[in-house]
Amino acid sequence: AMITAMDEQIGRVVAALEWRGMREDTIIIFQSDNGGPRDARFTGEVDMSQSLIPADNGPYRDGKASLYEGGTRVPFIVRWPERVKPGVSAALVCQIDFLASFAAMCGQRLSASDAPDSANVLPALLGDAAAGRETLVEHAGVLALRKGAWKYIEPGKGARRTANTGIETGLDPQGQVYDLAADPAERESRAAKQPDMHNALKELLRRVREAGRSRD
Protein backbone atom coordinates (compact mmCIF):
# COMPACT_ATOMS: atom_id res chain seq x y z
CA ALA A 1 0.00 0.00 0.00
CA MET A 2 2.80 2.41 0.87
CA ILE A 3 4.62 1.77 -2.41
CA THR A 4 1.40 2.26 -4.38
CA ALA A 5 0.64 5.51 -2.56
CA MET A 6 4.15 6.83 -3.20
CA ASP A 7 3.89 6.00 -6.90
CA GLU A 8 0.47 7.66 -7.12
CA GLN A 9 1.62 10.88 -5.45
CA ILE A 10 4.75 11.20 -7.60
CA GLY A 11 2.56 10.52 -10.62
CA ARG A 12 0.25 13.39 -9.64
CA VAL A 13 3.19 15.80 -9.48
CA VAL A 14 4.47 14.69 -12.89
CA ALA A 15 0.96 14.87 -14.37
CA ALA A 16 0.52 18.43 -13.04
CA LEU A 17 3.82 19.47 -14.63
CA GLU A 18 2.79 17.90 -17.92
CA TRP A 19 -0.60 19.63 -17.82
CA ARG A 20 1.19 22.95 -17.45
CA GLY A 21 3.66 22.12 -20.21
CA MET A 22 6.56 22.11 -17.77
CA ARG A 23 7.44 18.42 -17.60
CA GLU A 24 10.36 18.45 -20.02
CA ASP A 25 12.14 21.49 -18.60
CA THR A 26 11.62 20.82 -14.88
CA ILE A 27 14.24 19.05 -12.79
CA ILE A 28 12.74 16.31 -10.60
CA ILE A 29 14.86 14.66 -7.92
CA PHE A 30 13.70 11.55 -6.11
CA GLN A 31 15.58 10.33 -3.04
CA SER A 32 14.80 8.88 0.36
CA ASP A 33 15.77 8.77 3.99
CA ASN A 34 18.92 6.84 4.87
CA GLY A 35 18.96 3.08 4.39
CA GLY A 36 15.83 1.03 3.93
CA PRO A 37 14.60 -0.87 7.01
CA ARG A 38 14.83 -4.64 6.59
CA ASP A 39 12.28 -5.21 9.32
CA ALA A 40 8.79 -3.75 9.81
CA ARG A 41 9.35 -3.46 13.57
CA PHE A 42 11.39 -0.27 13.05
CA THR A 43 8.18 1.72 13.27
CA GLY A 44 7.35 0.42 16.73
CA GLU A 45 3.71 -0.01 15.72
CA VAL A 46 1.59 -2.33 17.83
CA ASP A 47 -0.56 -3.04 14.80
CA MET A 48 1.96 -4.58 12.43
CA SER A 49 -0.34 -4.04 9.47
CA GLN A 50 0.45 -0.31 9.78
CA SER A 51 4.22 -0.80 9.97
CA LEU A 52 6.78 -0.17 7.26
CA ILE A 53 7.20 -2.61 4.42
CA PRO A 54 10.66 -4.20 4.78
CA ALA A 55 13.05 -2.79 2.18
CA ASP A 56 15.17 -4.56 -0.38
CA ASN A 57 18.59 -2.91 -0.30
CA GLY A 58 19.90 -5.00 -3.17
CA PRO A 59 23.53 -6.11 -2.84
CA TYR A 60 24.29 -3.73 0.01
CA ARG A 61 24.86 -5.03 3.51
CA ASP A 62 22.08 -4.66 6.07
CA GLY A 63 19.74 -1.70 6.48
CA LYS A 64 18.55 1.24 8.54
CA ALA A 65 20.61 1.90 11.71
CA SER A 66 23.69 0.23 10.20
CA LEU A 67 27.00 1.81 9.21
CA TYR A 68 27.16 -0.54 6.26
CA GLU A 69 26.03 0.63 2.83
CA GLY A 70 22.54 -0.84 3.22
CA GLY A 71 22.05 1.62 6.07
CA THR A 72 23.62 4.68 4.47
CA ARG A 73 22.93 4.60 0.72
CA VAL A 74 19.69 6.00 -0.64
CA PRO A 75 17.86 5.85 -3.97
CA PHE A 76 18.76 8.93 -5.98
CA ILE A 77 17.14 9.73 -9.32
CA VAL A 78 17.47 12.96 -11.29
CA ARG A 79 15.10 13.63 -14.20
CA TRP A 80 15.38 16.69 -16.43
CA PRO A 81 14.66 15.63 -20.03
CA GLU A 82 15.87 18.84 -21.65
CA ARG A 83 19.17 18.77 -19.79
CA VAL A 84 20.05 15.37 -18.28
CA LYS A 85 20.72 12.35 -20.47
CA PRO A 86 19.58 8.95 -19.15
CA GLY A 87 22.34 6.95 -17.50
CA VAL A 88 23.82 5.62 -14.28
CA SER A 89 26.43 7.51 -12.26
CA ALA A 90 28.87 6.35 -9.61
CA ALA A 91 29.53 9.93 -8.45
CA LEU A 92 29.66 10.38 -4.68
CA VAL A 93 27.03 12.94 -3.64
CA CYS A 94 25.06 13.73 -0.50
CA GLN A 95 21.74 15.40 0.25
CA ILE A 96 23.53 18.28 1.98
CA ASP A 97 25.08 19.09 -1.40
CA PHE A 98 21.72 20.32 -2.64
CA LEU A 99 22.32 23.73 -1.04
CA ALA A 100 25.60 24.54 -2.79
CA SER A 101 24.62 22.80 -6.03
CA PHE A 102 21.24 24.49 -6.45
CA ALA A 103 22.71 27.84 -5.45
CA ALA A 104 25.21 27.43 -8.29
CA MET A 105 22.46 26.34 -10.68
CA CYS A 106 20.47 29.49 -9.87
CA GLY A 107 23.47 31.81 -10.03
CA GLN A 108 23.47 32.45 -6.28
CA ARG A 109 26.47 32.58 -3.97
CA LEU A 110 26.45 31.18 -0.45
CA SER A 111 28.33 33.05 2.23
CA ALA A 112 31.29 31.37 3.93
CA SER A 113 29.14 30.55 6.97
CA ASP A 114 26.25 29.03 4.99
CA ALA A 115 26.18 25.23 4.71
CA PRO A 116 29.95 24.77 5.15
CA ASP A 117 29.65 21.01 4.59
CA SER A 118 27.75 21.39 1.32
CA ALA A 119 29.71 20.78 -1.89
CA ASN A 120 28.81 22.02 -5.34
CA VAL A 121 28.33 18.75 -7.25
CA LEU A 122 26.09 20.24 -9.94
CA PRO A 123 28.15 18.78 -12.82
CA ALA A 124 27.66 15.30 -11.35
CA LEU A 125 23.92 15.88 -10.84
CA LEU A 126 23.56 16.97 -14.47
CA GLY A 127 25.63 14.08 -15.80
CA ASP A 128 28.45 16.33 -16.99
CA ALA A 129 31.05 14.86 -14.62
CA ALA A 130 31.76 11.32 -13.46
CA ALA A 131 32.96 12.45 -10.02
CA GLY A 132 31.11 14.30 -7.27
CA ARG A 133 32.48 15.16 -3.85
CA GLU A 134 35.86 13.73 -2.81
CA THR A 135 34.91 12.46 0.64
CA LEU A 136 31.76 11.84 2.65
CA VAL A 137 31.28 11.19 6.36
CA GLU A 138 28.63 8.68 7.41
CA HIS A 139 27.29 8.28 10.94
CA ALA A 140 25.51 5.59 12.93
CA GLY A 141 26.90 5.45 16.46
CA VAL A 142 30.45 6.08 15.23
CA LEU A 143 31.75 7.62 12.01
CA ALA A 144 32.63 6.11 8.67
CA LEU A 145 34.41 7.83 5.79
CA ARG A 146 33.88 7.34 2.06
CA LYS A 147 36.68 8.37 -0.29
CA GLY A 148 35.87 7.33 -3.80
CA ALA A 149 35.19 3.60 -3.73
CA TRP A 150 37.02 3.14 -0.43
CA LYS A 151 35.27 3.14 2.92
CA TYR A 152 36.69 3.28 6.43
CA ILE A 153 34.67 2.54 9.58
CA GLU A 154 36.34 3.70 12.77
CA PRO A 155 36.51 1.37 15.80
CA GLY A 156 33.41 1.34 17.94
CA LYS A 157 32.15 -0.33 21.09
CA GLY A 158 28.66 -1.71 21.41
CA ALA A 159 26.35 -4.41 20.18
CA ARG A 160 27.14 -5.77 16.74
CA ARG A 161 23.44 -6.34 16.08
CA THR A 162 20.40 -4.35 17.13
CA ALA A 163 18.31 -6.09 19.75
CA ASN A 164 14.93 -5.61 18.12
CA THR A 165 15.68 -6.29 14.45
CA GLY A 166 19.02 -8.05 14.25
CA ILE A 167 20.55 -5.41 11.99
CA GLU A 168 24.36 -5.42 11.90
CA THR A 169 25.37 -2.09 13.38
CA GLY A 170 28.86 -2.04 11.90
CA LEU A 171 30.37 -1.51 15.35
CA ASP A 172 33.67 -3.35 15.80
CA PRO A 173 36.65 -2.81 18.14
CA GLN A 174 38.91 -2.81 15.07
CA GLY A 175 38.82 -0.34 12.23
CA GLN A 176 37.31 -1.68 9.00
CA VAL A 177 38.23 -0.89 5.40
CA TYR A 178 36.22 -1.90 2.34
CA ASP A 179 36.83 -1.58 -1.38
CA LEU A 180 33.27 -0.96 -2.56
CA ALA A 181 34.22 -1.23 -6.22
CA ALA A 182 35.29 -4.86 -5.77
CA ASP A 183 33.19 -5.67 -2.71
CA PRO A 184 29.96 -3.60 -2.65
CA ALA A 185 28.44 -5.98 -0.09
CA GLU A 186 31.27 -5.22 2.39
CA ARG A 187 32.00 -8.86 3.08
CA GLU A 188 35.76 -8.59 3.55
CA SER A 189 37.53 -5.84 5.46
CA ARG A 190 40.85 -4.93 3.85
CA ALA A 191 42.25 -3.29 7.00
CA ALA A 192 44.77 -6.06 7.75
CA LYS A 193 45.72 -6.73 4.12
CA GLN A 194 46.10 -3.07 3.16
CA PRO A 195 47.37 -1.30 6.30
CA ASP A 196 48.59 1.72 4.31
CA MET A 197 45.07 2.38 3.03
CA HIS A 198 43.67 1.80 6.53
CA ASN A 199 46.07 4.32 8.07
CA ALA A 200 45.53 6.88 5.31
CA LEU A 201 41.74 6.79 5.65
CA LYS A 202 41.97 6.85 9.45
CA GLU A 203 44.14 9.97 9.28
CA LEU A 204 41.86 11.59 6.72
CA LEU A 205 38.82 11.06 8.97
CA ARG A 206 40.77 12.58 11.88
CA ARG A 207 41.48 15.69 9.80
CA VAL A 208 37.89 15.96 8.65
CA ARG A 209 36.69 15.70 12.26
CA GLU A 210 39.15 18.31 13.45
CA ALA A 211 38.15 20.68 10.66
CA GLY A 212 34.51 20.32 11.72
CA ARG A 213 35.34 21.01 15.36
CA SER A 214 37.28 24.13 14.42
CA ARG A 215 34.14 25.57 12.81
CA ASP A 216 31.94 24.93 15.87
Side-chain angles (χ1 to χ4, degrees):
M2 181 179 295
I3 294 175
T4 301
M6 179 183 69
D7 190 53
E8 288 177 350
Q9 296 307 314
I10 294 172
R12 292 178 65 185
V13 172
V14 173
L17 290 171
E18 185 167 16
W19 179 73
R20 292 178 176 271
M22 300 169 59
R23 180 174 179 176
E24 298 304 301
D25 59 359
T26 297
I27 183 171
I28 299 175
I29 295 180
F30 174 86
Q31 44 85 50
S32 79
D33 190 8
N34 63 293
R38 292 196 318 164
D39 194 300
R41 288 173 290 177
F42 262 108
T43 58
E45 298 283 354
V46 175
D47 180 2
M48 293 300 290
S49 66
Q50 301 299 314
S51 295
L52 292 177
I53 299 172
D56 179 357
N57 292 321
Y60 303 114
R61 188 171 177 177
D62 256 281
K64 199 171 199 65
S66 174
L67 271 167
Y68 295 120
E69 290 297 284
T72 56
R73 291 204 186 199
V74 300
F76 197 105
I77 301 170
V78 177
R79 185 184 189 277
W80 191 359
E82 287 195 353
R83 182 64 178 81
V84 178
K85 296 179 180 179
V88 178
S89 173
L92 184 62
V93 300
C94 181
Q95 293 162 343
I96 61 173
D97 297 332
F98 286 160
L99 285 82
S101 301
F102 292 154
M105 185 173 71
C106 297
Q108 302 297 311
R109 178 176 295 180
L110 299 177
S111 70
S113 60
D114 290 333
D117 292 320
S118 187
N120 178 7
V121 294
L122 186 60
L125 292 180
L126 300 182
D128 296 334
R133 58 166 48 239
E134 181 179 357
T135 62
L136 175 65
V137 174
E138 302 171 345
H139 175 259
V142 297
L143 299 184
L145 179 76
R146 283 285 309 276
K147 179 176 173 56
W150 288 96
K151 178 173 179 177
Y152 167 70
I153 302 177
E154 67 179 351
K157 297 179 180 180
R160 296 196 177 189
R161 289 186 179 272
T162 57
N164 58 335
T165 60
I167 289 288
E168 291 184 277
T169 60
L171 296 175
D172 191 287
Q174 305 298 318
Q176 303 169 68
V177 174
Y178 295 98
D179 178 2
L180 299 178
D183 180 24
E186 296 170 285
R187 295 304 177 193
E188 181 185 6
S189 173
R190 307 293 298 178
K193 294 181 179 180
Q194 294 181 254
D196 290 345
M197 178 60 71
H198 172 269
N199 292 334
L201 294 174
K202 179 181 178 180
E203 172 61 17
L204 180 55
L205 178 59
R206 185 195 68 78
R207 296 202 306 265
V208 170
R209 178 184 269 121
E210 287 301 314
R213 286 172 177 168
S214 67
R215 293 197 302 264
D216 293 340

